Amino acid sequence: MESSGSKKEDEGFGVWPSKVADLGPAPNLWQNNSSLCKKRRSQDLFNRCEKENLSSWIPENIKKKECMYFVESCKLSDAGKVVCECRYTREQHLEEALRPHAFQDDEWDPKRHIQEVPTDAFGDLIFTGLRQKVGKYVRVSQDTPSSVIYDLMTQHWGLDVPSLLISVTGGAKDFTMKPQLKSVFRRGLVKVAQTTGAWIITGGSHTGVMKQVGEAVCDFSLSSSYNKAEVITIGIATWGTIHNRDSLVHPTGGFPAEYVMDEEGQGDLTCLDSNHSHFILVDDGTHGRYGVEIALRTRLEKFISEQTKERGGMAIKIPIVCVVLEGGPGTLHTIYNAITHGTPCVVVEGSGRVADVIAQVAGLPVSEITISLIQQKLAMFFQMFETFTEGRIVEWTKKIQDIVRRRQLLTIFREGKDGQHDVDVAILQALLKASRSQAHFGHENWDHQLKLAVAWNRVDIARSEIFTDERQWKPSELHPMMTAALISNKPEFVKLFLENGVRLQDLVTWDTLLYLYKNLSPSCLFRSKLQKVLAKDVTAPALLMHHVAQLLRELLGDFTQPLYPRSRSSDQPRLLPVPHVKLNVQGVSLQSLYRHTSDDVTFTMDPVRDLLIWSIVQNRRELAEIIWAQSQDCIAAALACSKILKELSKEEEDTDSSEDMLALANECEHRAIGVFTECYRKDEERAQKLLVRVSEAWGKTTCLQLALEAKDMKFVSHGGIQALLTKVWWGQLCVDNGLWRVLLCVSFFPLLCTGLLSFRERRLQAACGLARLRAFFNAPVVIFLLNTLSYFCFLCLFAYVLMVDFQPSPSCCECVIYLWLFSLACEELRQLLYDPDGCGMAKMALLYFGDFWNKLDIAAILLFLAGLSCRLIPALLYPGRIILSLDFIMFCLRLMHIFTISKTLGPKIIIMKRMMKDVFFFLFLLAVWVVSFGVAKQAILIHNESRVDWIFRGVVYQSYLTIFGQIPAYIDGVDFNLDQCSPNGTDPYKPKCPESDASRHQPIFPEWLTVTLLCLYLLFTNILLLNLLIAMFNYTFQQVQEHTDQIWKFQRHGLIEEYQGRPPAPPPFILLSHLHLFIKRVILKIPARRHQQLKNKLEKNEESALLSWEMYLKESYLQSQQDQRKQRPEQKIQDISNRVDSVLKLLEMDRLKQSGSTEQRLSSLEEQVTQTGRALRWIVQTLKGSGLGSGEDTPTLAPEQASQGQCLELDSRQEAGDLGDACHVNARHLFYPNSPVLRFPVPNEKVPWETAFLIYDPPFHTAERKEEASVDPVGNALEPLSGITFNAMDGTTDRRSFHGCYTVQHGLPLNPMGRTGLRGRGALSRFGPNHTLQPVVTRWRRNQDGAICRKSVKKVLEVLVVKHPLSEHWALPGGSREPGEMLPAKLKQILLRQFWPCFESLLRQGTEVYKGYVDDPRNTDNAWIETVAISVHFPDQNDELKRLNSHLLAYDPRMSIQWQVVDRRIPLYANLKTILQEVATLYEAHY
């Protein structure tokens, strides 16, 4: 603002630098997913509680300003009313403000008469007549602490901590922009806010730059990407300048408050912008006074920039950037403040006024930015240029010079020029450029830049700006950022880090993995399950990896071993306090996660597997794909992921999440199929080894077992897997043997010696006798055929006994049946107890009874036992036979399981099973009609039938048979016959007669009604329901038929595995095998083992070679997938579109460059012509004046490069600008350090005392110092200074300058380097030169072996530096000296007294590297600093260096002392860097 009371011409705000701070771990609270109704109820409850909290919290903590004393103003309001000095009317004051009180007859003073009271305007905000977008607002006092406002925004308004703060400033009045520039600005601003999670802060009104920002947000909200992320736009406006603000006043909070935008009637006030999401309305108790919010906004931005963004284990202090559009004097002041405090600024060229003035001169050296040039630019871009005074032009020139001088903080966005097309890229590049220019030790600067890019999730910026040839990253340096990218789910950064050398095997340590699981996504189902597991384990104080292993085993299945076994207390890994570790450039970093000690378990068995599981349980598709591509055991990994996801999807309540999990599971299965297909094409035998190989990484299971447990039918139905199952099915026999040959050999086994059958192994093919016999009868296909023949024999014998030979006492045949059944029962018991994987009885029982056919077998055996029990009791012989007859049906149904092996019958049986479900649903519908019709018919025809059996017949049985055509003869009264029924229902073998006439023996029931009911019944059952059943069967058939082959192939494995582990002898001879097994397992204690054909543990070397082969083919699969994607028509169209866009951009850039080059050439030509004319006039005037010309009018010719029309980059002009500052720079900064005093602006050309500067009127400032005896007098009067002798030794004080005699004017010495804009001695001790000594103590940097480190061939120096408690910079241990002392006072503070004489000797022997003037910000016109820099170098690791290190001790514990590498980015004051550069040059060292 130009002044505190000026109109709304300009929105100028102070902004502050961004710093880095710690960031803790992700939130540890799990947010449960629930149904929509639960969410709505909980949300409504939360909203009510939130409103109640706000209604109590805000009035207690936030105040407003209220005028407490009405003093009539001499000016009337715009409406002609009498107002107070605060510009409010009488009616707008409180009653107590109108009463006589202690302030009577006092002049109105805002500090006394305006007081703070609880605020009365806060809540939700809705703009009437516009779309119902609810915002937040609050009225605050201008003195409200920033911490309170920040808590309100983050804790009560629920805003996430931003990753970036964008302060938009500029013109506060409406201005015009080119449509193309406006579109680019809006799109870029919203994009950077959306992608980085930034807050945009503006003035909040519906004018000027604030309106531009609001319209940008509005355009974004109407786009398709609005639901992805909300743009937080915070408007900070003055309460007293808001039109229609009375509607916002609600003492208990407006929920919501309706605000009406009335731009036509606003007058000198402003309306709030409807596109902002949050408003902070700053109140100072006055009305109509603009600029009240500036101070609070400056403080708030500074406070926010000092806060931390905590996410993903990474911490940064929130960076801030100032974006400038158009603007006036206030905007220039804002830019100057921002640049001064280290905040980068992005100036949009073409937006007008101040922005264009700065953009025009930003590429020039500072020496060429003159008062006359700025005057020309102001006349060009400002319509009200006539109002600019000479002093204001000088001030603008000085500020613009200082702004341009710090080019690293200034970015000019030129749309379409210099390769700039997007504002968002320009903003982020400006922040990185500013960070790159900051002084840091070592590589912290690059780390900070990378942290910013990760926090913003802008991998494009990281690729183009950070991962360049300028910086070579070590993989270990990227580990903390990699961890942060994993936790915050930024797959593009994970891919980038992997491309730059990060190895997951090095990244994932035991501590890191535990840290990742402690920072699972809050909405993750796996997180809530972990919390339940942890709650059950009362002995564990915190989450450990065996808790994760327990949960993973539940998901993968009990057939797997725990992935992370429970560690013993003696060798349990030491877990670092990871949740409290911060990632901070200035503090402890996440590098502590990667310490490796000999006593710790630092690596898991398979880090890639661990990360893959961690990403899968959170359903992170892109991250899982990237990590899976790094895995070695990739087929097993994909199948395990499919199993985990399918299990989690069953428990996930959120439908969308469940569908995403199933989709990702299917994708994992597809990837497993793809890799296996590549392997099978290459080598069938090795591919099949992959299926049955025991995978140690996945709980000692196999790929085949994982696929079966996950029910991955597509994978199991793959031809390669079916070939393996067929090979297992045939055992040692060749698969091309005909089934008829096997049947012949089964019938007459001596045929085995004839060569009728062929075997796979040559030894069996050549052998004969026992070996062939054993191989033949151990083949699963032979075992199956023998059991099938045995089962048919059992059924035939059972049927014969039931129908022919069922005697009162069991016959021989029946006893054989009993023996046969006993062998079947023993076999079922063997299957129940068979546990080759060591799963336990409970798991085996669960698996056994989970199979339908096993349950059918158990039911048949139990029913047989029930029938046998009845059969052995003579009185129950017949019921026993009935039960056994029913049991025979169940045994016959068991044949269907045998037929499932058939490729023809198997799929049909599957279809039939699926159709049975349709039949059950159909029977429910049919029962409704059968019962309803049966009851109605029975009630109409029969009166009081009491026999239950005949009621069932009439209601259900006859109604059901009617569907199939058996219509009751008497229902229509035509075939009525009393002989066929019992009139009274006494005959048990006849139904009761219908209602009839006893005399005429004719039916009297309404035939028309019964016939109508019958017709309707047949219509709905025969036509509707039966056709519905047929349609259901047809639909099921069509649906199942597509997958029947897969289902059959999947279920085929169960039958093959059953007979592969079954004893070779069929029942009842299987009892001999059972006896053999009993001796082996029970007596000899020999454990059961699974056949190697389905589970095989390979040797280490063989397994390693097999996995390497698999990994190679996985890469081939991924490459083929990528090639296929490129060949897709839609991808080709997209590629062509991208290429066309690139060509169009290049053409547009070329056109803009040509037009820009022409404009620059014309502008340069005009400037040269103007300067040529000025030069000629000067020559003429000089000649006329006999050669005496004033130096101040000497023209400066335009630079040659500018005349060529080249647009120079800011960085390339940095050195030129610095060379143009031949005079002191820091000593002319407008803000004097640690003082509210402002210097008089002194541009470069007005620095020399010889140059006339008529308006030069600097303020006088002399700071008070405690040691009054050792300092000069204040100097505001000449008498005390008359005793000082300048340019000579004044007692013990040396007042001589290294630059010769200086001028003494009016009793005060003049700075030999020129004007500084401030008189007096400032914060210095003495007028004239203040002499200091800077000892530069250096040594060579050495590695662990003692060798000198080198960089770019040159040796690397280390310098001794100190940091004082109140300073942000490091410094050399030098400064002023007491009279007669050799050592500076600051050096004495870090050296023990006994070492002082020794160091004095070192100083005398040292080399003087600099002596002269120091450009210090404390210098004034009458006092300045001059120094002598002496180099003390230790070339060897001698005793003196060791003594120095042993005697370094800071008296103040807050003071830091350390050796630091001499580098151009070392964080020292600029004047000290010059001295270090001289030292590096002296010793030919790196700098």
Side-chain angles (χ1 to χ4, degrees), residues 899-1084:
F899 294 147
T900 54
I901 195 63
S902 171
K903 195 170 185 177
T904 304
L905 294 178
K908 302 301 183 290
I909 294 174
I910 293 170
I911 294 175
M912 188 182 68
K913 288 174 62 178
R914 295 295 178 92
M915 288 183 175
M916 288 298 295
K917 297 180 181 179
D918 296 336
V919 171
F920 283 117
F921 288 111
F922 171 78
L923 289 178
F924 172 75
L925 297 175
L926 182 64
V928 175
W929 288 97
V930 169
V931 173
S932 61
F933 172 74
V935 171
K937 176 184 71 68
Q938 183 76 4
I940 293 173
L941 296 178
I942 309 297
H943 178 68
N944 292 341
E945 174 64 79
S946 59
R947 295 172 296 177
V948 177
D949 55 338
W950 283 104
I951 292 176
F952 177 79
R953 289 182 183 181
V955 173
V956 179
Y957 180 63
Q958 291 182 359
S959 299
Y960 179 73
L961 292 179
T962 302
I963 300 175
F964 302 100
Q966 293 189 15
I967 300 174
Y970 53 84
I971 197 168
D972 56 357
V974 176
D975 296 331
F976 180 75
N977 188 355
L978 289 176
D979 297 335
Q980 298 178 356
C981 59
S982 173
N984 299 322
T986 56
D987 190 347
Y989 301 106
K990 291 183 180 180
K992 190 175 182 179
C993 293
E995 295 283 352
S996 60
D997 187 354
S999 59
R1000 294 184 298 168
H1001 303 289
Q1002 296 293 329
I1004 61 173
F1005 58 83
E1007 297 93 342
W1008 62 270
L1009 180 58
T1010 56
V1011 171
T1012 303
L1013 290 176
L1014 177 64
C1015 293
L1016 292 175
Y1017 173 67
L1018 292 176
L1019 174 66
F1020 280 96
T1021 54
N1022 278 23
I1023 297 176
L1024 180 62
L1025 291 182
L1026 288 179
N1027 281 281
L1028 174 64
L1029 180 62
I1030 295 171
M1032 292 170 64
F1033 283 167
N1034 183 57
Y1035 176 77
T1036 301
F1037 182 84
Q1038 295 294 336
Q1039 292 292 318
V1040 177
Q1041 183 66 24
E1042 300 177 1
H1043 307 287
T1044 301
D1045 188 59
Q1046 291 182 6
I1047 299 172
W1048 172 74
K1049 289 178 178 178
F1050 180 81
Q1051 294 183 350
R1052 177 172 175 249
H1053 169 271
L1055 189 65
I1056 292 174
E1057 187 178 17
E1058 176 185 347
Y1059 282 95
Q1060 195 253 355
R1062 198 173 185 133
F1069 307 106
I1070 199 173
L1071 289 173
L1072 299 175
S1073 299
H1074 293 159
L1075 180 62
H1076 177 255
L1077 288 174
F1078 179 80
I1079 295 173
K1080 285 179 62 177
R1081 302 288 180 264
V1082 179
I1083 299 177
L1084 300 180

Side-chain angles (χ1 to χ4, degrees), residues 603-619:
F603 288 95
T604 57
M605 184 176 60
D606 191 345
V608 181
R609 174 209 64 185
D610 299 331
L611 274 187
L612 180 61
I613 294 175
W614 179 83
S615 59
I616 281 293
V617 296
Q618 297 180 91
N619 197 23

Side-chain angles (χ1 to χ4, degrees), residues 163-166 188-198 316 319-323 344-346 408 411 413 420 422-436 448-462 464-466 493:
S163 298
L164 173 63
L165 193 64
I166 304 175
L189 181 67
V190 170
K191 182 179 178 181
V192 71
Q194 180 190 10
T195 57
T196 64
I316 58 169
I320 181 173
V321 63
C322 180
V323 179
C345 292
V346 178
Q408 71 276 10
T411 299
F413 176 76
Q420 294 179 329
D422 299 310
V423 172
D424 62 308
V425 176
I427 291 174
L428 300 180
Q429 286 178 339
L431 285 162
L432 291 181
K433 184 171 69 173
S435 173
R436 196 177 299 126
H448 180 60
Q449 293 182 54
L450 184 56
K451 285 199 300 180
L452 290 178
V454 173
W456 300 332
N457 197 20
R458 292 298 296 263
V459 72
D460 55 333
I461 298 295
S464 61
E465 301 293 331
I466 299 174
F493 271 100

Side-chain angles (χ1 to χ4, degrees), residues 19-40:
K19 299 179 182 178
V20 183
D22 297 338
L23 187 81
N28 289 324
L29 295 178
W30 177 74
Q31 300 173 359
N32 186 21
N33 294 322
S34 59
S35 63
L36 182 61
C37 295
K38 290 182 179 179
K39 286 183 178 179
R40 287 178 176 174

